Amino acid sequence: MTELPTPLEHHQYQRYSSSAEIEACLGALATAGGPYARLDRIGTSARGRPLHALVCAAPRRPGRPRLRVMMVGSQHGASEAAGCEALLMLARAVLIGEAQEWLDSLEFVFIPNANPDGRELDSSRNGNEVNINRDFVLLSQPETSALDNAVLRYEPEVILDAHESASLKTRTLGREGYLTDFEAQFDMAASPAVAPALREYGEAELLPALIAAVQGRGLRAQRYIREITSTRQPITHGGLTARKFRNKAGLRGALTVLLETPMEPKDGSYPSYRNIAERVARQSLCMQAFLAVVSRESARIARVVATASRLPEQQVLPLNGVWVKDLQSPEVVIELRRREDYLRQAVTFENWRKMEVRDPLALPRAYLITAHTGVFASLLARHQLAFEVLAESMTCTQERECFRGFDPVEGAWHAVETERVRAKAEPGSLLVPLTSRSARLLPLLLEPRSESSVFRYLAYARLLEERTPLFVTRIPRDAEYLPERLKSESHPLPPNPES
Ligand SMILES: [Zn+2]
């Protein structure tokens, strides 16, 4: 038996590790790692279970920069258990095993068990029955706040978010007689508001390198495609909103990668409990390949991430993106397996993997929030976005939008009118400046036109009155009447080049 067996190894792959066992294992690893390891409490789950990060780093030496890599497992609890189990083995290999040389070029923040309640409840959701990987706009759950705060606290250059998915979907594609047949998928933070440097490097270089590295190790890997529920659907890549961890972390400036490996049907007969041995082996292989590529590319990645921390060029930010049909390459052939005999069959789909950018916004200098300030102060605080509560009234140029109401077909708010006025904000209003840290995220959360907007949620949507100027207004960059404190040299936005 290996030194320090993980709970899964200890139970000879006959059941998943429990959250308590994972805690104990992380504690033992932190002790075994001595000065190279530290266990940080990063939060508490909805049902009161601790959330931990195991930080693994060699002592810092001047002139030897290292890339910090955050690896997150099992956001979807027991439904996707393998990521956590593989990360415990990887952390052991890095600290006391065969992978210690990674510590020459990398530092690690392991968050293996991102949803401990889901693991105990045999669920993909947390203890409040929320899918936490849809909650990064609201941050309504303690698990999502903990992960989002961990990105700010550790400032990783690179993040891997490890997931699994069922190859047989009995209620959708399975009904048509097929199951999917990939062995590993990778995607990037793809929101169009993510810095172009991150998106372009990720899509053109990092993803192809990852896929090649995994294929070189013997697994059929591909760029992530959104769940196939029917042979008649178009093929797209993943979701583009900040609701998902990978996009939110990308908007925070980290090069963020999604890993997804397939799971066989739960009730099949396998050599290990729910085929967990095979599933962990696939995750481990992909994680090794990921680290090999990231380590090889570390100097380049450091430069890309540094570039990405700058403000959007021309101070214009695309709020939305949609996947559209690629007219240059209108079809894509994907191999599925037939349910009846497991033989592969090539199926032709429409190819909608081209992203079209929508709703460009000229970045304002700041936002003013003049009503419902308690709700918004709490939201901004959860996101650690800086704001000021006005002690005195403030008169300035403001852009105010009126909306015609929510279009349930398009799922969008329609602006009927934008007015530019000189208006007074009362004491108690919130002044929210755009900084280089917040410029890519704040408009996505506050603009009703954005698909990542809080106004897409009922609790906020009902605050928006039709045909009445919205209480969230923009102070434009070229405002005629600009408050003194937004003019100051120390204000983080540089002057508009055109003005
Ligand atoms: Zn998942």
Side-chain angles (χ1 to χ4, degrees):
M1 181 55 87
T2 334
E3 194 188 349
L4 268 183
T6 70
L8 185 70
E9 290 165 336
H10 180 78
H11 291 106
Q12 292 166 8
Y13 294 84
Q14 291 315 303
R15 64 166 175 79
Y16 297 157
S17 309
S18 72
S19 289
E21 289 166 343
I22 293 161
E23 282 308 302
C25 180
L26 286 171
L29 287 170
T31 304
Y36 288 75
R38 185 178 85 229
L39 196 61
D40 289 342
R41 176 91 179 237
I42 58 165
T44 304
S45 75
R47 298 269 178 105
R49 295 186 174 90
L51 294 162
H52 276 126
L54 178 64
V55 181
C56 306
R60 295 236 162 169
R61 274 188 279 164
R64 291 283 301 272
R66 299 193 197 95
L67 220 54
R68 190 169 297 155
V69 183
M70 177 183 277
M71 300 179 83
V72 177
S74 296
Q75 269 202 75
H76 287 131
S79 302
E80 302 177 19
C84 172
E85 311 284 6
L87 282 175
L88 293 178
M89 293 172 191
L90 180 64
R92 177 183 62 199
V94 163
L95 285 172
I96 55 170
E98 66 284 2
Q100 291 175 58
E101 79 264 16
W102 291 125
L103 290 171
D104 292 336
S105 56
L106 305 174
E107 296 182 358
F108 294 88
V109 180
F110 292 110
I111 306 178
N113 194 19
N115 178 5
D117 293 349
R119 184 167 279 265
E120 295 309 302
L121 300 168
D122 198 15
S123 167
S124 63
R125 295 168 181 244
N126 76 346
N128 290 334
E129 296 191 29
V130 173
N131 176 352
I132 61 172
N133 203 26
R134 300 283 184 280
D135 186 52
F136 285 87
V137 164
L138 292 187
L139 296 180
S140 69
Q141 300 302 308
E143 293 86 353
T144 43
S145 282
L147 276 182
D148 192 51
N149 290 343
V151 172
L152 291 171
R153 171 176 175 177
Y154 299 110
E155 297 186 316
E157 279 94 354
V158 185
I159 299 177
L160 183 76
D161 182 21
H163 290 256
E164 294 181 273
S165 74
S167 54
L168 174 62
K169 269 106 179 173
T170 49
R171 273 174 298 215
T172 57
L173 189 62
R175 284 202 175 145
E176 293 182 32
Y178 295 100
L179 28 76
T180 52
D181 187 46
F182 64 87
E183 291 178 313
Q185 299 199 93
F186 291 96
D187 208 353
M188 302 296 306
S191 158
V194 167
L198 285 184
R199 279 193 292 118
E200 285 157 19
Y201 171 75
E203 285 175 28
E205 302 192 45
L206 187 66
L207 277 182
L210 282 173
I211 290 164
V214 169
Q215 283 173 340
R217 287 163 167 79
L219 288 189
R220 285 189 308 285
Q222 64 185 30
R223 171 137 186 220
Y224 178 87
I225 50 181
R226 185 179 261 168
E227 186 175 318
I228 300 177
T229 55
S230 162
T231 55
R232 292 176 294 276
Q233 75 174 59
I235 294 298
T236 71
H237 295 306
L240 298 172
T241 73
R243 296 178 186 202
K244 298 202 174 193
F245 175 61
R246 72 171 177 281
N247 288 327
K248 180 70 177 297
L251 292 163
R252 296 279 197 199
L255 189 63
T256 309
V257 175
L258 168 82
L259 163 65
E260 192 185 87
T261 55
M263 281 184 288
E264 298 70 23
K266 259 190 203 178
D267 49 4
S269 137
Y270 306 106
S272 62
Y273 176 69
R274 293 187 188 173
N275 211 23
I276 188 65
E278 179 67 30
R279 289 161 52 197
V280 169
R282 279 196 285 256
Q283 286 266 319
S284 295
L285 181 148
C286 292
M287 288 170 180
Q288 301 276 352
F290 170 80
L291 292 177
V293 171
V294 164
S295 175
R296 191 180 74 212
E297 290 274 294
S298 60
R300 181 77 191 285
I301 290 173
R303 284 198 300 276
V304 167
V305 171
T307 308
S309 67
R310 295 190 202 130
L311 283 159
E313 277 177 50
Q314 278 82 50
Q315 278 95 38
V316 171
L317 189 77
L319 293 176
N320 294 316
V322 286
W323 297 112
V324 297
K325 190 165 182 173
D326 184 347
L327 298 173
Q328 249 100 60
S329 169
E331 289 181 340
V332 53
V333 176
I334 293 175
E335 286 198 324
L336 300 177
R337 275 189 199 269
R338 295 204 301 238
R339 212 175 159 178
E340 65 208 35
D341 53 15
Y342 263 58
L343 290 178
R344 285 200 193 120
Q345 184 182 324
V347 178
T348 303
F349 293 83
E350 278 191 29
N351 183 21
W352 287 48
R353 290 179 298 175
K354 190 174 152 72
M355 193 178 69
E356 203 170 271
V357 162
R358 299 263 169 94
D359 303 310
L361 175 81
L363 283 182
R365 199 163 270 273
Y367 285 92
L368 265 173
I369 301 173
T370 56
H372 309 292
T373 50
V375 174
F376 279 83
S378 155
L379 175 82
L380 294 167
R382 287 202 298 282
H383 289 271
Q384 297 193 35
L385 293 165
F387 64 92
E388 179 188 331
V389 183
L390 293 184
E392 296 166 19
S393 68
M394 192 177 87
T395 302
C396 60
T397 307
Q398 300 180 29
E399 276 176 9
R400 301 194 298 205
E401 277 182 316
C402 288
F403 290 86
R404 175 171 83 212
F406 191 73
D407 179 339
V409 178
E410 285 189 39
W413 288 99
H414 287 294
V416 282
E417 197 184 352
T418 304
E419 57 177 13
R420 189 175 169 123
V421 293
R422 186 180 180 204
K424 186 163 94 171
E426 297 300 328
S429 298
L430 309 182
L431 175 65
V432 196
L434 261 75
T435 67
S436 55
R437 273 176 86 101
S438 70
R440 296 184 181 281
L441 183 56
L442 200 50
L444 263 65
L445 299 178
L446 295 184
E447 294 283 342
R449 282 182 297 151
S450 152
E451 281 187 60
S452 301
S453 166
V454 295
F455 292 106
R456 299 295 169 109
Y457 295 89
L458 189 61
Y460 292 83
R462 66 176 185 224
L463 306 177
L464 202 157
E465 289 175 65
E466 291 182 29
R467 297 176 193 281
T468 304
L470 183 62
F471 58 89
V472 179
T473 70
R474 298 187 282 262
I475 302 179
R477 300 180 50 73
D478 57 351
E480 296 82 2
Y481 301 95
L482 195 62
E484 247 350 275
R485 57 168 137 343
L486 291 179
K487 284 181 192 161
S488 79
E489 290 289 312
S490 64
H491 192 266
L493 269 184
N496 192 332
E498 287 100 291
S499 64

